[in-house]
Amino acid sequence: MVHIDDIRICVAQPEDEPRVLDFLRIHYYLEEPLTVGREPKQQDRADEIFNISNIVHGTSLMAIHTETNSIVGVVLTGPKDPGEADHLLEEAAVEGSTKWGITLKFLAMVERDANVFQRYGVDKALHIQVLAVDGKMRGKNIGGRLITELVEGGKQWGYEVVSADCTSHFSARLLERQGWECINTVYYKDYVDAGFCC
Ligand code: COA
C-alpha cells in the first residue's frame, strides 16, 4: 500500500514526457468528461500533443511514489496572455471539425468569457491544462498537494494568477476546497444546443 508520506512532488522535465503521456492515457483520458462525454470517446493525437507540450515550460508537476519511482499524479500547466482566446481559435481553425478542434473552440469561448486578465488586472497567468491522479490513489489529497505546490511555484515563477478550466466535478470541488474562486460556469450541452460546435 502506498503511504501519502512516500509521495514527493517534482517538476516534470522534457525526458518525462513519454511516461507522463502513458499515465494520462490511463488516468486522465479514460475519465475526463470533455473527452469521454462525446463520441468518439478516444482523444485525438493533437490533444495529447497539446497537453504534453506544456512540460517544456518547466511549470508542470508530478507526484511520484518514491519507492517505485512511478507517477501517481500530474498537473500540466503553461503560460497564457490576453491573446489566449485568439490563439486557441487559430489552432481550432487549423484543426477544423475534429474532436480536438471542437474542444479548442469551446475552450476559447470559456477563456473569453472568464476574462481573467481584465478581471484580475494582470497581463499573464499560469493555466492548468490537465490535472489527474492515479485512479487507485484518489481521495488522498494528491491533487490538493499538486495544486498547493503549483500555486507556490507560480509565485516563484512570477505569476500572480493561476487559472484552470475544471471539466470535472471532482476537480472543481477540489479547487473550491482550496479556496479558489469559480468565476464562470459553462455547460457543454448548452454550447452544443446553441449550435456552436460545428
Ligand atoms: N471518480 C470518483 N470519485 C472521485 C474521483 C473520480 N474521478 N476523483 C475524486 N474522487 C473522490 C475521492 O475518492 C474522494 O472520496 P472520499 O472522500 O470518499 O475519499 C473525494 O472524491 C475527494 O477526492 P480528492 O482528494 O479531492 O481528489 P483527487 O485529488 O484524488 O482526484 C482528480 C481529483 C480531479 C485529479 C481526479 O478525479 C482525476 O484524476 N480525474 C480524472 C481526470 C480528470 O477528469 N481531471 C479533471 C479535468 S480538469
Side-chain angles (χ1 to χ4, degrees):
M1 199 177 110
V2 176
H3 194 272
I4 195 72
D5 292 342
D6 298 334
I7 291 167
R8 66 184 168 89
I9 310 288
C10 63
V11 175
Q13 304 296 337
E15 58 268 26
D16 294 312
E17 287 181 12
R19 66 177 184 144
V20 171
L21 182 54
D22 286 347
F23 177 84
L24 295 187
R25 284 176 174 162
I26 298 170
H27 300 289
Y28 178 76
Y29 284 114
L30 292 179
E31 288 183 61
E32 192 275 320
L34 208 48
T35 307
V36 293
R38 296 180 292 154
E39 294 296 337
K41 293 192 190 309
Q42 173 71 35
Q43 70 278 9
D44 287 349
R45 179 72 184 127
D47 180 338
E48 295 184 344
I49 292 170
F50 179 92
N51 283 328
I52 285 295
S53 69
N54 282 284
I55 288 179
V56 79
H57 299 299
T59 56
S60 297
L61 303 180
M62 303 185 296
I64 300 286
H65 178 224
T66 317
E67 208 176 294
T68 57
N69 196 32
S70 55
I71 301 176
V72 292
V74 160
V75 60
L76 298 185
T77 78
K80 68 178 181 183
D81 62 28
E84 180 67 5
D86 292 338
H87 299 322
L88 292 170
L89 284 175
E90 280 161 24
E91 282 212 46
V94 173
E95 276 294 314
S97 57
T98 62
K99 180 167 175 143
W100 180 235
I102 292 165
T103 302
L104 283 170
K105 265 203 260 177
F106 179 60
L107 293 178
M109 186 195 73
V110 170
E111 178 64 36
R112 194 197 57 214
D113 292 352
N115 200 8
V116 165
F117 300 97
Q118 270 191 10
R119 192 181 294 269
Y120 295 108
V122 295
D123 57 10
K124 64 173 184 171
L126 188 61
H127 191 69
I128 297 176
Q129 308 287 2
V130 164
L131 175 65
V133 166
D134 184 320
K136 300 181 295 300
M137 299 288 290
R138 305 258 167 87
K140 296 179 186 294
N141 196 36
I142 294 174
R145 273 180 71 186
L146 282 165
I147 296 297
T148 302
E149 299 229 9
L150 180 72
V151 171
E152 267 317 300
K155 286 181 197 151
Q156 286 167 25
W157 299 319
Y159 292 96
E160 290 176 72
V161 169
V162 182
S163 62
D165 301 327
C166 293
T167 56
S168 143
H169 160 76
F170 294 103
S171 54
R173 213 174 59 173
L174 189 158
L175 291 185
E176 282 186 341
R177 220 173 43 231
Q178 295 232 336
W180 285 45
E181 183 187 11
C182 176
I183 57 177
N184 185 27
T185 302
V186 185
Y187 292 96
Y188 183 74
K189 182 183 175 303
D190 296 343
Y191 170 78
V192 175
D193 287 350
F196 288 123
C197 72
C198 304

